[in-house]
Amino acid sequence: GDSVTQMEGPVTLSEEACLTINCTYTATGYPSLFWYVQYPGEGLQLLLKATKADDKGSNKGFEATYRKETTSFHLEKGSVQVSDSAVYFCALSRNFGNEKLTFGTGTRLTIIP
Amino acid sequence: DAGVIQSPRHEVTEMGQEVTLRCKPISGHDYLFWYRQTMMRGLELLIYFNNNVPIDDSGMPEDRFSAKMPNASFSTLKIQPSEPRDSAVYFCASSFTGGIGSEQYFGPGTRLTVT
């Protein structure tokens, strides 16, 4: 079945450091890939997505590229801020009318000033 | 739009009591999802509906859990009887079949504590 494996946390970085959170997936066909973010005390919200190979999703300075050859969708940001502290979830959906998301376990990110 | 609305935001109840969680999806969305989040098990999909019909309830932990969607604007998740291990944050999410890569919109969650 479908699965998403993401980097174990927690991850602690200093402000302005570079961030990479690894995500790999297993799925047949051509899934869509997502990064969701959960700020403390809130529900998840979409951060970015990519729907086909070599697409790059980007938002709020975060980027991720859909790499079919390595089945990966790593999240990157060049300079993190304290406000980026949150839990990040990688996810995939099968498309073609099946809207169910398969989530990774989440990575807790803490940015210290 | 107000987004996905969940009530109550917090619920504290005693073991054995019935608990009902409520969700109002975004108007026009045709998918509704119920998730449970705990530190131990992470985010789990319990059940989801399409056009008010349950599609996959394989994540519902046991018969004590039930979910209904009587119309397009309302869904409930019921636990009867509740147990301490049901303590978690329960999220409702909705989405629209708008093609490839449809986004799920999450509500703020209901934090359930069973003592």
Side-chain angles (χ1 to χ4, degrees), chain B residues 3-9 20-27 29 31-35 47 49 52 67-78 90-95 105-110:
Chain B
V4 176
I5 298 172
Q6 292 188 246
S7 64
R9 292 294 309 277
T20 300
L21 312 181
R22 297 173 176 81
C23 175
K24 177 178 169 55
I26 293 172
S27 177
H29 283 192
Y31 279 86
L32 184 137
F33 305 82
W34 282 102
Y35 292 90
I47 184 172
F49 297 81
N52 313 335
K68 294 182 180 179
M69 192 165 186
N71 57 62
S73 59
F74 184 65
S75 178
T76 60
L77 179 67
K78 185 176 294 186
Y90 291 81
F91 289 104
C92 175
S94 69
S95 70
Y105 293 80
F106 282 73
T110 295

Side-chain angles (χ1 to χ4, degrees), chain B residues 36 62 64-65 79 81-88 90 112 114:
Chain B
R36 178 172 69 176
E62 49 198 274
R64 297 184 298 106
F65 286 69
I79 308 173
S82 57
E83 297 183 2
R85 59 190 167 130
D86 302 330
S87 297
Y90 291 81
L112 174 65
V114 183

Side-chain angles (χ1 to χ4, degrees), chain B residues 28-68:
Chain B
H29 283 192
D30 55 349
Y31 279 86
L32 184 137
F33 305 82
W34 282 102
Y35 292 90
R36 178 172 69 176
Q37 186 177 41
T38 63
M39 290 294 292
M40 290 294 292
R41 301 173 68 94
L43 190 66
E44 303 172 276
L45 176 64
L46 301 178
I47 184 172
Y48 74 98
F49 297 81
N50 178 222
N51 291 321
N52 313 335
V53 176
I55 302 302
D56 183 352
D57 66 353
S58 59
M60 296 286 263
E62 49 198 274
D63 292 345
R64 297 184 298 106
F65 286 69
S66 63
K68 294 182 180 179

Side-chain angles (χ1 to χ4, degrees), chain A:
Chain A
D2 299 343
S3 67
V4 174
T5 302
Q6 64 180 103
M7 183 172 161
E8 290 285 330
V11 174
T12 302
L13 294 173
S14 297
E15 201 166 21
E16 299 184 3
C18 294
L19 169 72
T20 299
I21 301 177
N22 291 333
C23 172
T24 57
Y25 69 90
T26 301
T28 56
Y30 300 90
S32 291
L33 302 175
F34 305 81
W35 277 100
Y36 279 78
V37 59
Q38 183 180 27
Y39 298 104
E42 298 183 10
L44 281 70
Q45 57 185 273
L46 180 67
L47 179 61
L48 53 84
K49 70 179 183 183
T51 58
K52 60 181 187 294
D54 300 324
D55 263 4
K56 177 185 286 187
S58 61
N59 186 25
K60 299 181 180 180
F62 290 90
E63 293 183 339
T65 301
Y66 190 145
R67 301 287 188 199
K68 188 152 181 70
E69 63 275 15
T70 54
T71 62
S72 65
F73 193 55
H74 305 321
L75 183 67
E76 299 177 326
K77 187 173 186 181
S79 176
V80 293
Q81 306 300 314
V82 172
S83 58
D84 294 328
S85 298
V87 181
Y88 292 82
F89 292 88
C90 187
L92 68 83
S93 73
R94 286 283 213 95
N95 303 313
F96 305 111
N98 182 350
E99 303 295 329
K100 175 181 173 181
L101 283 170
T102 299
F103 282 96
T105 53
T107 302
R108 181 175 298 278
L109 174 66
T110 302
I111 308 300
I112 54 177

